[in-house]
Amino acid sequence: MWRKNKLQMPVKSTDSLIGHGGTLEGKLNCDTNLRIEGNFSGEIHCQGTVTVGEQGTVRSSIRAQDIIIAGKVFGDVIADQRLMMTDTGQLHGNILAGSLSIMEGSVLNGSVAMAEEPATEKAGGLQKKEHADKAGKRGSKQAETA
């Protein structure tokens, strides 16, 4: 009848929403995406994307993988991957981000610091290529003289 070793279905992540007209105050930790269309005050720590909608106002520090600002944010933000400010976005605070996109019309009052990205090529990679080119030239010169 009932099996002890049931296969459990993976739980789908759902987005969290603070809707227009809603007000929330406190510390918010979430593993999913978060969208704010209302008002929030406190701290936000999110493993997904935090989106502050055009009607949203946030008086908080925000830390998330990705942050999209289309409304008003008063506080420091840390985007582990990227921060995007739309043409209606306003940020009054400091930024630390892996990459940054600021559209014309947005307002930024604060400082910006970018996270360093690792080098894509190994050091000395160009030298190996030059040696191969010189060896190829020597071989063609020797063939010409013979």
Side-chain angles (χ1 to χ4, degrees):
M1 291 173 124
W2 296 101
R3 295 173 51 189
K4 288 184 181 180
N5 296 331
K6 287 187 197 177
L7 295 176
Q8 292 188 358
M9 296 298 290
V11 178
K12 292 183 180 179
S13 63
T14 57
D15 292 344
S16 300
L17 172 67
I18 299 173
H20 180 68
T23 300
L24 189 62
E25 189 174 325
K27 185 174 181 179
L28 180 61
N29 292 309
C30 62
D31 294 332
T32 61
N33 298 330
L34 172 66
R35 184 171 183 88
I36 301 169
E37 292 290 345
N39 298 307
F40 181 83
S41 297
E43 286 183 44
I44 298 172
H45 295 275
C46 184
Q47 297 298 317
T49 301
V50 172
T51 303
V52 179
E54 289 183 13
Q55 302 299 315
T57 301
V58 175
R59 296 179 187 283
S60 167
S61 61
I62 302 172
R63 179 164 194 152
Q65 289 295 312
D66 298 314
I67 301 172
I68 301 169
I69 299 174
K72 296 177 184 175
V73 175
F74 299 91
D76 297 339
V77 296
I78 300 173
D80 294 332
Q81 293 183 5
R82 71 182 168 100
L83 170 70
M84 186 174 86
M85 293 183 62
T86 68
D87 57 344
T88 59
Q90 295 184 23
L91 175 60
H92 303 276
N94 301 320
I95 296 171
L96 175 59
S99 67
L100 178 63
S101 173
I102 302 175
M103 297 177 84
E104 184 177 351
S106 61
V107 176
L108 171 61
N109 289 315
S111 65
V112 176
M114 301 294 291
E116 292 184 31
E117 300 224 2
T120 56
E121 293 184 12
K122 293 181 180 178
L126 295 176
Q127 292 175 352
K128 291 179 183 177
K129 209 174 196 180
E130 289 175 11
H131 292 302
D133 290 344
K134 288 181 183 177
K137 288 179 184 177
R138 280 189 220 134
S140 62
K141 285 183 182 179
Q142 289 174 355
E144 288 175 11
T145 57

